[in-house]
Amino acid sequence: MAHERILPETAENQPPVLMTVCFLKKEGKILLGKKTKKIGVGKWNGCGGKQEEKDYDLEDTAVRETGEEINVHIEKESLKKVAVMNYHNEQQDGTFKHAQVHFYIVSSWHGDPTDTDEIENLTWFDDSNLPFDDMLPSDRLLLPLILKGKFVLGDVWHDKNWHTIPGKVSLREVEQSELP
């Protein structure tokens, strides 16, 4: 299934890596865990990852990654897409890698979330008291919007140390139907 790109490809003219992040939400709280691998190691985040060939679509990716990372099963129908962000992450050689991340809020699932080798210290945080100082910097901008029910398209550039690059952050609220 083809996915529309929101922004042009990176300067290296490479298509984006397609990824998902899911935030489980209940009673005014969201579930976050500390990532142990790959992007965001040691930072609080939702669960998710890269689309694989075996995934029919991004919703399959979200379901698979949530199961792998926190041992719960979600139905595709319970996924509510709330944002699509284009991240341009500076590599050690100075080039940028482009990841298009599709964010979902999930209010219904089967099973009890448990730590795995990919995410640990699972904790329910009050929507109004998130650990932003120990999250990726752009989460401080995105999460308050999506937790208030907004739908967001965005573009964020990170330097080699995962700091946002001043002047290189753009978020805009949209209608849900505008999300790819």
Side-chain angles (χ1 to χ4, degrees):
M1 174 178 249
H3 295 283
E4 175 186 9
R5 288 193 194 100
I6 298 169
L7 297 171
E9 297 170 340
T10 59
E12 294 80 21
N13 203 30
Q14 298 295 314
V17 174
L18 297 174
M19 304 180 76
T20 64
V21 172
C22 288
F23 293 107
L24 275 61
K25 183 173 170 66
K26 72 174 184 180
E27 302 167 2
K29 297 179 183 264
I30 65 166
L31 184 66
L32 301 175
K34 291 261 186 153
K35 299 293 275 190
T36 61
K37 298 179 180 180
K38 303 177 184 166
I39 297 173
V41 169
K43 302 287 187 186
W44 291 105
N45 208 337
C47 49
K50 184 169 73 169
Q51 186 176 40
E52 296 181 359
E53 242 180 76
K54 63 185 172 186
D55 299 328
Y56 175 74
D57 55 23
L58 284 166
E59 289 76 19
D60 279 350
T61 304
V63 168
R64 178 183 53 75
E65 287 285 347
T66 302
E68 290 174 1
E69 291 196 359
I70 62 171
N71 293 315
V72 298
H73 178 72
I74 55 177
E75 302 290 337
K76 288 170 82 168
E77 297 77 29
S78 68
L79 293 167
K80 179 181 178 184
K81 188 181 285 193
V82 292
V84 178
M85 299 288 292
N86 285 287
Y87 293 100
H88 305 272
N89 303 316
E90 187 176 15
Q91 307 300 296
Q92 291 305 314
D93 65 3
T95 62
F96 285 86
K97 188 171 185 176
H98 179 190
Q100 186 178 86
V101 183
H102 295 245
F103 288 85
Y104 300 88
I105 297 286
V106 180
S107 304
S108 169
W109 58 88
H110 305 284
D112 294 321
T114 56
D115 291 357
T116 65
D117 66 339
E118 295 188 41
I119 195 165
E120 59 189 15
N121 299 325
L122 291 170
T123 305
W124 290 98
F125 287 92
D126 187 82
D127 286 0
S128 62
N129 191 26
L130 298 177
F132 288 123
D133 290 340
D134 205 13
M135 298 175 79
L136 292 172
S138 57
D139 290 342
R140 182 183 301 273
L141 305 171
L142 176 63
L143 280 173
L145 293 172
I146 64 175
L147 291 174
K148 288 180 185 169
K150 306 293 184 184
F151 302 100
V152 179
L153 290 177
D155 189 47
V156 176
W157 294 72
H158 289 121
D159 66 16
K160 294 175 192 171
N161 298 313
W162 291 97
H163 298 115
T164 53
I165 299 174
K168 293 285 193 172
V169 176
S170 169
L171 299 177
R172 69 183 171 97
E173 293 179 26
V174 297
E175 296 296 321
Q176 186 176 26
S177 61
E178 296 178 72
L179 295 175

